[in-house]
């Protein structure tokens, strides 16, 4: 009896060991499957991240190209502006020379008005181009290469603002929350928000500019409305 009992116990032990081995194999297989899933998910995340990076690089390259195009436009415009001013000055001198005796006061006044109008018209166009250039330059980016480009573009932008200042042109500062002013603003869209004061600025798309007391470029804004 004792021998049979011992054999029975030995058999039970062997079966238990076998079950333990099978359980270990199952656990190892489960860990392997989970590990493969983690590797697959990580690989997919890396692929998606690389895709996003490539999309951002492509977008930034487009912005850089746009900035270069705007810079070329501004350079061309400056050359044209200088030529027109020189031409107008020569015309003014000729008129003054021909009628210096009887029409000095009258023609001087007309010349000054013509210059102011011409300057305000060209200045408004220049301010619009510079404002667009400023929007592109200040577009947020995390790419270090683009950041380096933006440092140089910021220098050009400051130079362009200095040109405007020399022409007597200045930007009218407006911000979100300011009341809408039809004298220097144009509404391009509305934003529904019951918590905001109606007819106040919700988004500033472009800024207004003035020459002296005269507005030469109006702003484009979105305003809040109740419903």
């Amino acid at each position: 009896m004792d021998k049979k009992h011992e054999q029975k116990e030995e058999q039970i032990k062997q079966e238990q060991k076998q079950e333990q081995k099978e359980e270990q194999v199952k656990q190892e297989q489960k860990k392997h499957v989970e590990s493969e899933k983690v590797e697959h998910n990580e690989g997919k995340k890396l692929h998606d991240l690389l895709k996003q990076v490539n999309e951002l690089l492509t977008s930034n390259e487009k912005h850089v190209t746009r900035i270069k195009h705007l810079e070329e436009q501004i350079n061309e415009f400056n050359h044209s502006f200088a030529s027109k001013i020189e031409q107008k000055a020569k015309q003014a001198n000729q008129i003054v020379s021909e009628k210096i005796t009887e029409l000095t006061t009258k023609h001087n006044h007309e010349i000054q008005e013509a210059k102011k109008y011409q300057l305000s018209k060209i200045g408004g166009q220049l301010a619009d181009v510079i404002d667009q250039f400023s929007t592109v330059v200040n577009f947020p980016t995390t790419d270090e290469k683009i950041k380096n480009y933006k440092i140089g573009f910021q220098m050009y932008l400051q130079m362009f603002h200095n040109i405007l200042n020399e022409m007597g042109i200045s930007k009218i500062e407006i911000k979100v929350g300011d009341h809408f002013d039809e004298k220097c603003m144009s509404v391009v869209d509305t934003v529904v928000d019951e918590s905001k004061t109606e007819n106040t600025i919700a988004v500033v798309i472009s800024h207004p500019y003035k020459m002296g007391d005269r507005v030469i470029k109006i702003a484009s804004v979105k305003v809040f409305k109740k419903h």
Side-chain angles (χ1 to χ4, degrees), residues 174-188:
I174 60 174
K175 62 184 183 300
V176 173
D178 287 350
H179 287 282
F180 173 76
D181 186 354
E182 63 180 3
K183 295 179 181 178
C184 63
M185 303 177 193
S186 174
V187 177
V188 297

Side-chain angles (χ1 to χ4, degrees), residues 33-77:
V33 170
E34 290 177 351
S35 176
E36 288 183 342
K37 288 182 178 179
V38 171
E39 290 178 357
H40 175 73
N41 291 335
E42 292 298 326
K44 187 175 184 301
K45 289 180 181 178
L46 179 60
H47 174 74
D48 292 341
L49 182 60
L50 289 174
K51 182 179 179 181
Q52 292 177 5
V53 170
N54 288 332
E55 289 175 351
L56 286 173
L57 288 174
T58 300
S59 177
N60 286 332
E61 287 175 358
K62 290 180 179 179
H63 287 305
V64 171
T65 301
R66 174 61 176 164
I67 290 170
K68 289 181 178 178
H69 180 63
L70 288 172
E71 183 180 349
E72 291 174 356
Q73 286 183 325
I74 291 171
N75 288 335
E76 291 177 0
F77 184 80

Side-chain angles (χ1 to χ4, degrees), residues 96 99-111:
V96 172
K99 303 197 176 186
I100 194 169
T101 303
E102 55 180 326
L103 299 174
T104 298
T105 303
K106 177 181 177 181
H107 281 285
N108 280 343
H109 177 74
E110 291 177 351
I111 291 167

Side-chain angles (χ1 to χ4, degrees), residues 1-203:
M1 275 304 282
D2 291 340
K3 188 175 181 180
K4 288 183 178 181
H5 183 69
E6 290 175 357
Q7 290 177 347
K8 183 65 174 177
E9 287 182 348
E10 181 65 25
Q11 182 179 356
I12 291 172
K13 289 180 180 180
Q14 292 296 327
E15 290 176 352
Q16 288 176 344
K17 289 181 179 180
Q18 181 64 29
E19 289 177 355
Q20 289 176 352
K21 289 181 179 180
E22 291 177 354
E23 182 63 24
Q24 288 178 351
V25 170
K26 289 180 180 179
Q27 291 298 325
E28 290 177 356
Q29 290 177 341
K30 184 177 180 182
K31 289 180 180 179
H32 180 70
V33 170
E34 290 177 351
S35 176
E36 288 183 342
K37 288 182 178 179
V38 171
E39 290 178 357
H40 175 73
N41 291 335
E42 292 298 326
K44 187 175 184 301
K45 289 180 181 178
L46 179 60
H47 174 74
D48 292 341
L49 182 60
L50 289 174
K51 182 179 179 181
Q52 292 177 5
V53 170
N54 288 332
E55 289 175 351
L56 286 173
L57 288 174
T58 300
S59 177
N60 286 332
E61 287 175 358
K62 290 180 179 179
H63 287 305
V64 171
T65 301
R66 174 61 176 164
I67 290 170
K68 289 181 178 178
H69 180 63
L70 288 172
E71 183 180 349
E72 291 174 356
Q73 286 183 325
I74 291 171
N75 288 335
E76 291 177 0
F77 184 80
N78 284 339
H79 178 73
S80 174
F81 173 74
S83 297
K84 288 181 179 179
I85 293 299
E86 183 179 358
Q87 181 181 3
K88 288 295 180 181
K90 289 179 179 180
Q91 291 175 355
N93 288 332
Q94 182 179 359
I95 293 173
V96 172
S97 297
E98 291 175 353
K99 303 197 176 186
I100 194 169
T101 303
E102 55 180 326
L103 299 174
T104 298
T105 303
K106 177 181 177 181
H107 281 285
N108 280 343
H109 177 74
E110 291 177 351
I111 291 167
Q112 291 302 320
E113 288 299 314
K115 284 184 176 181
K116 286 181 180 179
Y117 175 78
Q118 187 70 12
L119 283 171
S120 64
K121 181 179 178 181
I122 295 175
Q125 294 172 343
L126 181 59
D128 187 54
V129 173
I130 292 175
D131 198 61
Q132 293 180 40
F133 183 52
S134 176
T135 300
V136 175
V137 170
N138 293 320
F139 188 85
T141 178
T142 57
D143 186 272
E144 292 300 325
K145 184 177 179 181
I146 300 301
K147 286 182 178 179
N148 292 332
Y149 276 119
K150 287 176 68 175
I151 293 174
F153 295 146
Q154 288 285 359
M155 294 175 62
Y156 279 111
L157 186 60
Q158 184 58 50
M159 180 184 69
F160 299 148
H161 280 297
N162 290 339
I163 292 174
L164 290 181
N165 289 334
E166 291 174 2
M167 294 170 61
I169 298 172
S170 60
K171 181 169 70 173
I172 302 173
E173 295 294 340
I174 60 174
K175 62 184 183 300
V176 173
D178 287 350
H179 287 282
F180 173 76
D181 186 354
E182 63 180 3
K183 295 179 181 178
C184 63
M185 303 177 193
S186 174
V187 177
V188 297
D189 203 353
T190 56
V191 176
V192 177
D193 192 330
E194 297 292 336
S195 67
K196 302 296 183 180
T197 303
E198 199 165 39
N199 287 329
T200 57
I201 299 175
V203 179

